[in-house]
Amino acid sequence: MGRAVMVGRGPTGAGVLVLSILIILTTESCRAQKGDGCGPSVLGPSSGTLSSLGYPGTYPNNTVCEWEISVPRGNRIHFRFAELDIENSDCQVNYLRLYNGIGPERSEIVKYCGLGLKVKELIESTGNQVTVQFMSGTHHTGRGFYLSYSTTEHSDLITCLDKGTDFPQAEFSKYCPAGCLTSTEEISGTIPNGYRESSPLCVAAVHAGVVSNAVGGRISVVSSKGIPHYEGTLANNVTSTGGTLSNSLFTFRTNGCYGTLGLESGGVADTQLSASSVWEWNKFGQHSEWVPSGARLKKTGLPWAPSQSDQQQWLQIDLKREKRITGITTTGSTLREYQYYVSAYRVLYSNDGQQWYIYRETNSTQDKIFQGNNNYLHEVRNNFIPPMEARFVRINPTLWHQRIALKLELLGCQIPAARRKTVPKPRTINPSRHTPPPPGTKRPPHLGQTTHTPDIRNTTMPPHTNKDVALAAVLVPVLVMVLTALILTVVCAWHWRNRKKSSEGTYDLPHWDRTDWWKSMKQLLPSKMVETEDSVRYSSSEVGRITGRGAVPRLHAEPAEYAQPLVSGVTTLGPRSTFKPDEGPDPGYSDPDLYDAPISPDVYHAYAEPLPASGSEYATPIVVDMGCHPSGGSALNQPTNVCSFMGAGAASLLTRTDSGQSGRSAYDTPKNATGQVTPTEDLTYQVPQSCTQKPT
């Protein structure tokens, strides 16, 4: 019978024990290797990994190796190459050859040689047996080869060198072969945070406890955004290194049975912990006991330690009921002054506390030796693939540093009640009777009470966005849009209301026309702008108080028949103007000032009177000279102008509108014989006096 050596990877440069497991062949599937050129290889029952001696370095000269692979009848085998780098292009001395069958009747499938070959397709056999032959002669370069195989039912087989970056999908499923710990590639990260995208998928899957290195298996990968830092840990004989920020990471989808079983949280009572012996000592009057209750992971204080350090010692946990146990995490003393730890151990399990079985991997007749800690402080995790289903668990140290000292936590979950009642528990491993404990070993107490079962959660999956977050992602933009529309509606309504208020009094003076600032600025504006701004306006309230002679209509009743407000500086009129065209100022008359005076309720303003039917077609305009410049046609040719304001009677507000008078009349109020304004007692308005010229 042949054999294949499975090599486990311990911590790099630590010089700690590297475990090896012999896979004893069964009659149903034969896997063997022979020759002096065989590299690290694992030939599993349905998948495996092969490599040349010295890989990834140069293979030695003049060597040969043959691997004979058999899988269960009715299956075929296919191969996928991770690397193929063999010197000698003519394939006479250095080559790799695959055969259908084993022995003299085998037939060649394919033969490879050459440096840096890329073989992307799967190489498939015609039967359930294949021989792989590697020959090397004298050469100078070449790394050899590294390949994986599985039965053809796993069409999505990948190699041990395929990384997360090789698959751009957010979620995907692949099949990992057995023996990927023969790879020298490093991984970065751990569960539950995830692994850096540059890590080999299958090596990370072994580290995470998703698949077994001895058997391989299917993985479901989920990619997500990277994290700033990746933690380095030791788990399942694989050491991951720390890493910095990366663009993405990946983790694995599992069945969720990786919760803690109550040692750390206190769900397991002190009475449920027992041991083969306890270390007690007195030093300087101080008594110390390293009792089993101190074996709780992350608990401060002394751990459990036996009175003697030998392979007959054990620590036992009673879970009170049968549970599915998927893993274990251990640490040393965690005390700087006592740097003790267990570096290798076996795991035993039982359902009644009497008949014990040592844990073994699938298709193996050898006890599984788990790699423990390599220092007294850091945690190390090992997973059970397949999981155990038991009530009692014992840890039996086989190797330790200085002396045995242990803290631990079990991982797993409850067994579904339906399965417990309807389906008998299958034996997934070959049991072997454990050596009875020494006579002085305490038996575990059988207690009837049960303990609280901790919540079991899947810690290997990244957090998924729940429905509430997705709903919030939809509602937030909608609420923002509704709030924006509401604000715009309020602003528009406020603006429309202000415009409506400002349009109620058409004849009201604008705000800026009432300020001293605007009066001073009008002196600097062009005359055309002054024309439009310096008109006398009447407010609707003032017009309502004006009383006229007879049945004179209000200004707003017939706006077309009323004279327009006083206009200054008008030289030409539009065709529809009611003012008489300007024919030049009368000598000796100066323009009145345009400032208004309060209107008495019993006086009708002269310029708001409708034109008589027999009168002149145009009203006489009042021309205002803002600068008080001398009139060009003045009979008093004097150089100095003086503008002044004085009181005027109400009679001065009435126009001498005479149809027979010349259109050159420039006075806006009746004058006496001397040319002065006739004063009245009910002085109401202050009318600007004309600019007079003083003789020099």
Side-chain angles (χ1 to χ4, degrees), residues 8 17 42 52 74 232 240 245 247 259 344 383 390 429 432 436 495 499:
L17 173 70
V42 174
S52 57
S240 69
L245 177 67
N247 293 329
N383 291 91
I429 60 174
S432 66
H495 182 65
R499 290 190 59 185

Side-chain angles (χ1 to χ4, degrees), residues 26-31 44-47 69-77 125 127-129 149-153 363:
T26 63
T27 56
E28 176 65 18
S29 58
C30 179
R31 301 169 297 279
S46 59
S47 65
I69 304 171
S70 296
V71 297
R73 297 183 184 277
N75 292 282
R76 291 178 297 167
I77 308 170
S125 69
N128 69 320
Q129 293 182 328
Y149 75 88
S150 73
T151 56
T152 53
E153 60 182 325
N363 299 319

Side-chain angles (χ1 to χ4, degrees), residues 125-139:
S125 69
T126 57
N128 69 320
Q129 293 182 328
V130 171
T131 301
V132 179
Q133 183 186 70
F134 176 65
M135 297 287 293
S136 71
T138 303
H139 64 92

Side-chain angles (χ1 to χ4, degrees), residues 308-338:
Q308 297 178 356
S309 293
D310 55 45
Q311 294 190 2
Q312 303 301 317
Q313 307 301 321
W314 47 263
L315 175 69
Q316 178 175 302
I317 302 98
D318 179 10
L319 299 175
K320 287 300 182 182
R321 66 174 64 181
E322 187 176 337
K323 294 183 180 180
R324 180 175 292 124
I325 306 167
T326 59
I328 180 174
T329 302
T330 61
T331 187
S333 67
T334 67
L335 300 174
R336 187 181 183 89
E337 59 272 26
Y338 305 108

Side-chain angles (χ1 to χ4, degrees), residues 523 530 534-536 565-570 579 582 584-586 588-597 605 607 620-631 642-646 648 652-653 655 665-669 671 677 686-692:
Q523 304 292 339
V530 174
D534 288 344
S535 301
V536 178
L566 300 179
V567 181
S568 62
V570 179
F579 285 100
D582 189 6
D586 190 31
Y589 177 75
S590 179
D591 294 335
D593 190 78
L594 82 160
Y595 293 100
D596 297 340
H605 197 284
Y607 295 99
T620 303
I622 303 303
V623 180
V624 178
D625 188 352
M626 293 297 296
C628 292
H629 298 292
S631 177
V642 179
C643 296
S644 62
F645 296 92
M646 60 181 295
S652 64
L653 299 176
T655 308
S665 177
Y667 293 96
D668 59 342
T669 58
K671 308 295 189 297
V677 179
Q686 191 178 44
V687 180
Q689 193 174 353
S690 62
C691 296
T692 59

